[in-house]
Amino acid sequence: MEEVWGGRRALHELACHAVVPAMTLAIPVVQALQVLTVLVVAPGINGVIARVETRLQGRRGSRVLQPYYDIAKLFGKEALAPFGTGWVFLAAPLVAMTCYLTVPLLIPVLTTFPLPFGYMGDILGGGFILALASFVIAIAAASTGSPYAQLGASRAKTFSAITEPVVLFVVFTVALVTGTDLPYALAKTVRASADQIVRPAHLLAAAALFMVILFETGRIPVETHTGTNEFGMIEEARSFEHSGPYLALLRWGSTMKQLILFVILINVFIAPWGLASDASLLAVALAILALVGKCALLGVGIAVIDDSFAKLRLFKITEFVSAAFMLAVLSVFTLYFGGG
Amino acid sequence: MASLIAGVAEPPSSFAGLTTALAVLMLVIEFGMLQATLLRAQIRLYAAQSVVISVLAVVVAFARDVPELYGLAAFSVLLKVVAVPLVMFRLLRRTNQEIAGSRALGVASMVLLAVAVAAFGFFASARFQLGSPVLPAAALAVPVAVILVSFVLMIVRRDVASQAIGFFALENGVSLASLVVAAGLPLILEVAFLFDLLVAVVVFGVLIRVHHEQSESLSTEALTELRG
Amino acid sequence: MPAVLLALTVLPLLGVVLSLLPGRWIAPAVSVTIGVACLGLTLTLVPAAAHGPVVLGFLRADAISVVFELGTAFLYATAAVYSVGYLRGEHERADFSRYSGLFWVGLNLFAWSMLCAPLMNGLALLWIAVEITTVVSALLVALDGTRGSAEAAWKYVLIASAGLGIALLATIVMDYAGASVLGPSFDLAFTPLLHAGTALPHPAVQLAFVLAVVGFGTKVGLFPVHTWLPDAHSEAPTPVSAMLSGALLAVSFYAVLRYYQIAATTLGSGFPRGVLLVFGMLSLLLAALYLVEQGNLKRLLAYSSVEHMGILAIGVSFGAPIAFTGVLLHVLAHAAAKSNAFFGAGVLVRAYGTKEIGRIRGGLDRLPWTAPLFLCAILALSAMPPFGLFRSEFQIVAGGLASARYVPAAAMVALVTLAFLGLSMATTRMLFVPRPGGPGAATAPRGEPSAWMVAPMVVGVLALLVLGLHPPDALAALIARGAAELGGAL
């Protein structure tokens, strides 16, 4: 506990030092930029993945910007709610969106140094906020009485029972490596030496996290992201009964969740480079570009996976997530029993 | 800044990290064998595991300057990556069996069991504190876990081919252990061990064929006559 | 004298090669000759090894190994003779020439691997030899080609190989222990390990010993890793069953003894003795219980082997010099008695065409030679005087009392009595209860199937009597020296 507090104080000092250079943006502006970047870039990443995927299949595919048009179109439409649903149904998209806007405050989206709100929560805190979002969406889906929405919600929650321990174990790994579970601290540790990246515990934890991300973002081999077969759906089915601006918020929110998870994987685990080390305008602008580039690259990787594997049958998904669980447990073991 | 780094666990050296990663990869492949449904896939995973251990031998030979290990790596590639899988594939073609016998446990409980067993292996080997001259300590816990998990594999699988592969994987775990604690074991002995494995493979093959002739399947369901 | 070691490791291989030659009589003649020759050669080793180890390259024979070598060679010779008669009864098989060819090659190879094991100077070579015994004997178990033999062979090879995998781990850990004191060029030879003594790292030796007891114990047939044993013994051809029981189990126990020697010099005797006591007692208990209600003749004898292996482990755990003497004598006496019992059982099975104890009746009327000899073997196995096992078990119990292990000694006596009960009930039923009258009963011919099958039994009973009444001086000296080696004198 003391170590954690020590870490946080150090982070604070770090932040204060960083304000000094000229031509800088105010720290609150950088903070806001983190959120804004996620908000704006998120649908684009989805567009990139869809584009690459169709290209790999030999089709021309839609524009990269198509998701923005879709969201804009949905905002212009009338909103309907199923008969008998209450305020939960209508509040869910707003709450979820709020959650997704909060998380970027906690994680290193653009900067190597922690921003003031970075102390608000650790990785677990971020995880809880993301879980809250998916919880309210599931509640909303369950309140509709629509079979498919309920199906998606209950499936998502069933498998989450396994993925959440995975995330916990990944966090344990981080905590054992860095002595704290602040995302900024891990990113810093990883940047400190390449050995931190090839250490087995880190590789295993990153692999487990990647598998969880595939699950959470509804990608192959868990489900077909753009499919129309309701029986195979998990994440996608939950928003069946929403429409108009509410659906737009849900769509937008789900792309943001995807980007947030990407950012955690990239900027905390596998490639925390190209971040702004001070608050100068140039550095921050470069950091935004680098972030877009890295996420697009990861998106291409996911598109390749999407195109080269088949969707698992539903009961095989347990095997998929239990494999992730096993990797995460192993990473804690190797770390705990021999400095792996 | 200093206080931030103070809590950080020192990373292992690149050599230690790499070797531990390879050892852990073997364990991960072992878990894969536990889950694989097709016999063919199991044999491929075994071959992959053998590749990993050969690579590990080369890494140790290079980094710790133990030239005999190059020879050992070459032998183990020849035997475990080429010969054993070939023998097993031929056997499968002759017996015309594709799918491994059903498992005695569901996947989730099996993985939990295997994780628990592996954890036991980690704890147990930590208790004995065998320092290794050439490899990091974590690499020592892994072979114990590999051996225990291959016992799980042999126990929960209900066909003779999977059981045989489980035994070969057990042998891989022992080889890994020998790399970790006894990299200086005379080459002639190591080669004798490998040769012995080859003999065992042939005998396993013969017995699997005898079993198939007797019961027209690879399942162990028929092996319940003798008791008491 | 060292040339004898070489001859013992080469002659059986020669037997393998010659058995491959065509010609019906070559393989049996060669096997019997070489078997008897090996026995003779081993006997010449007895006086030499009683004075000190005989060494030739990586071959080494000290008193302990010669005791085990003697038991194995005795079985090789008697089983070869018995097999001549046994195979006459398999003539009606469609694939007889293939069957007998494989049988003789396998028999010689099996004997070769078992004769090599006690002569190996080093734990690694010992492991290799024991592993070879496994694969060869597994094929022999499967030789009959029935469903039962296929099942038994598969269980045997899988369980024993897994056990030997653990034993290999023990070997490797011991190498680690040795190399950390004796330098990287250490090749697992016995003598340096014993000389290093307490300098070896204790946790490693502890680990290696436990792994070795579990690993090699799988082949010894110690509870709870004995499960393959009754199956393999009951399904193998009878001469092979005899060799499995009399020689193979003992050779595997020899490996355990070697680890015990090292562990006792390094850790002091408390820890290894405790481990062996637990395993031995459990095996004895299990075997005694299974013996009481056993319906299959060959399985009955197999469980009796588990019982006797348990007695060996208990004897070592008592640790008094007289107990060690008893253990080594027990190895020899058990080899003679158990082979005799299996040979007799083989004749009974052949005569009645069944292994079911419930369907074998009136043996004494039907088999004038085999039945009394079988009875002698069973009495010997139950440690009745005047046979060798009485002397050896008496010495073991005396050792237990000498080292103040009263409760285990008393428990051992009680369990051996229980085992005696089981063995004698089954035997009485088979030999003394007359055949139920009925059609066909009268037509059963009185007489022995083959003199080849009776001769080894006569030799076996004579050996048991010699061991029980008055062991030759040379042998007594050998056993005394072996006991001293086990007790820590180099």
Side-chain angles (χ1 to χ4, degrees):
Chain A
M1 204 57 198
E2 275 164 342
E3 271 180 22
V4 173
W5 286 116
R8 291 197 179 162
R9 211 175 310 119
L11 288 172
H12 187 70
E13 286 164 19
L14 213 67
C16 295
H17 282 298
V19 191
V20 183
M23 264 297 288
T24 54
L25 298 166
I27 288 299
V29 175
V30 180
Q31 185 97 66
L33 268 178
Q34 295 225 54
V35 181
L36 217 58
T37 312
V38 172
L39 187 68
V40 173
V41 172
I45 299 297
N46 236 10
V48 169
I49 296 177
R51 174 82 172 179
V52 173
E53 222 169 283
T54 45
R55 272 309 167 96
L56 285 175
Q57 290 165 353
R59 299 187 280 137
R60 204 172 68 210
S62 54
R63 286 166 296 186
V64 170
L65 296 183
Q66 187 61 38
Y68 295 101
Y69 291 104
D70 288 348
I71 289 169
K73 183 183 73 183
L74 285 172
F75 269 118
K77 290 206 168 187
E78 179 190 13
L80 292 172
F83 185 74
T85 50
W87 58 272
V88 173
F89 179 78
L90 297 179
L94 294 170
V95 175
M97 198 65 184
T98 318
C99 292
Y100 295 136
L101 287 172
T102 315
V103 179
L105 295 173
L106 308 178
I107 57 176
V109 180
L110 298 177
T111 58
T112 58
F113 54 91
L115 297 163
F117 284 126
Y119 320 125
M120 272 197 327
D122 49 15
I123 294 191
L124 274 182
F128 282 142
I129 297 173
L130 289 177
L132 175 66
S134 91
F135 174 71
V136 292
I137 295 174
I139 293 269
S143 73
T144 59
S146 147
Y148 290 129
Q150 286 187 339
L151 194 89
S154 70
R155 281 175 181 176
K157 287 293 125 192
T158 308
F159 295 124
S160 301
I162 308 177
T163 56
E164 274 169 21
V166 178
V167 175
L168 272 182
F169 272 98
V170 170
V171 173
F172 288 162
T173 310
V174 171
L176 281 168
V177 170
T178 58
T180 155
D181 56 357
L182 286 178
Y184 282 102
L186 181 62
K188 181 161 209 62
T189 315
V190 171
R191 258 194 314 274
S193 94
D195 284 341
Q196 288 284 8
I197 288 193
V198 296
R199 74 188 295 171
H202 185 83
L203 290 176
L204 286 168
L209 187 64
F210 182 68
M211 290 173 81
V212 171
I213 289 176
L214 284 183
F215 169 80
E216 286 288 338
T217 55
R219 295 290 174 184
I220 292 282
V222 176
E223 68 176 301
T224 28
H225 198 73
T226 52
T228 49
N229 175 8
E230 295 90 345
F231 281 118
M233 285 184 176
I234 300 174
E235 298 279 323
E236 295 290 295
R238 298 180 306 175
S239 52
F240 262 19
E241 297 298 322
H242 286 92
S243 54
Y246 294 102
L247 181 57
L249 280 182
L250 281 180
R251 286 271 172 85
W252 200 346
S254 99
T255 61
M256 283 176 70
K257 173 181 164 193
Q258 169 176 292
L259 183 58
I260 288 167
L261 291 170
F262 282 13
V263 167
I264 292 178
L265 182 69
I266 294 174
N267 279 357
V268 179
F269 277 89
I270 52 179
W273 291 285
L275 296 174
S277 53
D278 55 48
S280 70
L281 185 59
L282 184 66
V284 172
L286 279 177
I288 294 177
L289 284 179
L291 179 78
V292 173
K294 286 188 289 187
C295 288
L297 212 60
L298 181 61
V300 171
I302 285 192
V304 170
I305 291 178
D306 252 3
D307 275 350
S308 27
F309 291 92
K311 189 184 112 51
L312 290 170
R313 279 168 296 165
L314 196 67
F315 58 85
K316 287 271 181 188
I317 294 174
T318 329
E319 295 187 19
F320 180 77
V321 287
S322 60
F325 177 66
M326 193 202 70
L327 291 179
V329 172
L330 278 183
S331 85
V332 174
F333 281 171
T334 49
L335 202 58
Y336 190 69
F337 290 107
Chain B
M1 178 76 84
S3 69
L4 179 70
I5 301 295
V8 172
E10 273 304 300
S13 69
S14 323
F15 170 72
L18 181 61
T19 48
T20 314
L22 283 172
V24 170
L25 185 58
M26 284 185 64
L27 185 56
V28 170
I29 293 176
E30 184 75 36
F31 276 101
M33 288 161 79
L34 208 55
Q35 295 204 350
T37 320
L38 293 180
L39 290 173
R40 205 166 289 278
Q42 259 183 356
I43 298 171
R44 290 215 184 93
L45 282 172
Y46 169 73
Q49 199 185 37
S50 310
V51 169
V52 174
I53 193 167
S54 310
V55 171
L56 187 60
V58 170
V59 169
V60 174
F62 180 76
R64 288 290 181 267
D65 198 25
V66 193
E68 296 97 10
L69 286 182
Y70 288 117
L72 179 67
F75 267 113
S76 97
V77 165
L78 268 183
L79 186 65
K80 296 187 197 167
V81 182
V82 181
V84 175
L86 273 184
V87 169
M88 291 304 288
F89 276 131
R90 253 193 61 190
L91 204 69
L92 286 192
R93 265 203 303 281
R94 292 178 70 129
T95 54
N96 234 339
Q97 301 275 324
E98 291 272 326
I99 297 173
S102 66
R103 289 164 288 216
L105 287 176
V107 172
S109 34
M110 197 165 66
V111 167
L112 281 182
L113 174 69
V115 166
V117 161
F120 171 77
F122 274 87
F123 276 109
S125 51
R127 149 97 177 65
F128 279 99
Q129 303 161 338
L130 305 183
S132 163
V134 289
L135 283 175
L140 179 60
V142 178
V144 179
V146 169
I147 290 170
L148 291 174
V149 174
S150 49
F151 271 118
V152 173
L153 178 66
M154 278 193 273
I155 291 168
V156 301
R157 289 287 185 157
R158 285 185 181 154
D159 68 295
V160 286
S162 303
Q163 289 181 342
I165 296 167
F167 167 70
F168 302 149
L170 171 87
E171 199 278 338
N172 260 351
V174 178
S175 309
L176 179 59
S178 84
L179 265 186
V180 175
V181 298
L185 202 64
L187 181 64
I188 180 75
L189 290 182
E190 294 272 12
V191 172
F193 289 150
L194 281 179
F195 177 74
D196 217 75
L197 173 72
L198 181 65
V199 176
V201 169
V202 172
V203 170
F204 270 88
V206 170
L207 290 180
I208 289 176
R209 244 177 33 223
V210 169
H211 173 76
H212 186 254
E213 279 164 18
Q214 294 293 331
S215 62
E216 294 292 319
S217 83
L218 293 183
S219 160
T220 55
E221 298 285 317
L223 299 183
T224 51
E225 270 182 26
L226 306 175
R227 47 181 74 211
Chain C
M1 197 47 62
V4 175
L5 300 186
L6 191 64
L8 277 174
T9 47
V10 171
L11 269 183
L13 268 189
L14 191 67
V16 173
V17 175
L18 291 179
S19 304
L20 291 170
L21 294 178
R24 290 208 125 169
W25 54 271
I26 294 183
V30 163
S31 307
V32 170
T33 318
I34 291 182
V36 174
C38 284
L39 181 57
L41 285 171
T42 314
L43 283 173
T44 64
L45 273 180
V46 170
H51 293 110
V54 183
V55 182
L56 173 73
F58 56 86
L59 302 173
R60 175 175 180 276
D62 59 10
I64 302 177
S65 37
V66 171
V67 168
F68 285 87
E69 188 80 355
L70 195 57
T72 308
F74 179 79
L75 265 169
Y76 184 19
T78 50
V81 174
Y82 183 85
S83 301
V84 177
Y86 181 81
L87 283 181
R88 295 229 168 126
E90 299 284 331
H91 263 310
E92 64 272 26
R93 291 182 72 102
D95 57 345
F96 177 73
S97 61
R98 180 174 164 275
Y99 179 86
S100 73
L102 288 176
F103 179 88
W104 287 115
V105 170
L107 188 81
N108 285 310
L109 205 56
F110 186 31
W112 170 71
S113 60
M114 288 195 299
L115 285 171
C116 283
L119 297 182
M120 290 298 152
N121 181 17
L123 296 173
L125 293 169
L126 175 61
W127 182 86
I128 291 170
V130 174
E131 168 72 23
I132 293 175
T133 63
T134 308
V135 292
V136 178
S137 54
L139 290 178
L140 280 172
V141 170
L143 192 61
D144 271 354
T146 60
R147 267 183 99 110
S149 68
E151 175 182 345
W154 179 256
K155 284 180 182 168
Y156 171 36
V157 80
L158 192 71
I159 297 173
S161 300
L164 286 178
I166 296 177
L168 179 56
L169 199 58
T171 315
I172 286 164
V173 174
M174 199 54 106
D175 175 78
Y176 162 79
S180 63
V181 175
L182 303 162
S185 62
F186 172 62
D187 63 350
L188 279 167
F190 296 130
T191 341
L193 268 181
L194 289 175
H195 280 297
T198 48
L200 297 173
H202 286 208
V205 174
Q206 238 172 4
L207 180 64
F209 178 69
V210 173
L211 289 174
V213 170
V214 174
F216 287 114
T218 310
K219 289 212 66 183
V220 178
L222 293 180
F223 178 85
V225 280
H226 67 282
T227 45
W228 62 272
L229 194 147
D231 297 349
H233 283 59
S234 69
E235 296 301 321
T238 302
V240 177
S241 307
M243 288 176 87
L244 282 175
S245 181
L248 179 73
L249 304 186
V251 164
S252 318
F253 189 74
Y254 165 80
V256 176
L257 269 190
R258 287 300 183 191
Y259 278 87
Y260 168 80
Q261 260 187 304
I262 297 161
T265 40
T266 307
L267 307 168
S269 50
F271 173 74
R273 283 181 193 169
V275 172
L276 283 177
L277 183 65
V278 170
F279 277 97
M281 271 299 166
L282 289 176
S283 312
L284 185 54
L285 175 67
L286 167 113
L289 293 179
Y290 268 95
L291 278 171
V292 175
E293 268 305 316
Q294 183 52 253
N296 180 313
L297 176 52
K298 287 176 89 175
R299 292 179 84 84
L300 180 83
L301 297 178
Y303 278 111
S304 159
S305 298
V306 176
E307 175 209 342
H308 284 279
M309 291 302 128
I311 292 175
L312 286 180
I314 293 172
V316 175
S317 81
F318 285 161
I322 190 169
F324 286 137
T325 316
V327 165
L328 292 179
L329 183 63
H330 198 87
V331 169
L332 290 177
H334 176 252
K338 188 50 64 60
S339 61
N340 243 21
F342 266 111
F343 292 156
V347 178
L348 283 168
V349 169
R350 168 117 333 136
Y352 288 87
T354 177
K355 292 175 197 161
E356 301 279 321
I357 291 174
R359 291 168 58 193
I360 301 177
R361 287 290 181 263
L364 268 181
D365 300 332
R366 173 113 174 237
L367 300 162
W369 283 86
T370 303
L373 290 167
F374 180 68
L375 185 63
C376 286
I378 294 294
L379 288 177
L381 283 176
S382 318
M384 286 289 140
F387 299 109
L389 285 156
F390 169 71
R391 179 185 282 264
S392 63
E393 286 188 21
F394 187 81
Q395 285 173 334
I396 290 174
V397 173
L401 299 178
S403 50
R405 301 278 191 127
Y406 301 117
V407 177
M412 179 184 144
V413 172
L415 289 174
V416 168
T417 314
L418 186 62
F420 164 66
L421 197 69
L423 274 176
S424 57
M425 277 196 315
T427 315
T428 321
R429 281 189 206 133
M430 285 189 295
L431 299 185
F432 296 109
V433 175
R435 273 175 84 84
T443 59
R446 180 181 158 86
E448 294 293 332
S450 162
W452 288 98
M453 293 165 92
V454 175
M457 286 192 266
V458 176
V459 176
V461 169
L462 289 179
L464 279 171
L465 281 173
V466 168
L467 290 178
L469 293 174
H470 182 72
D473 292 339
L475 189 63
L478 179 79
I479 289 178
R481 184 174 167 93
E485 281 171 7
L486 273 178
L490 292 176

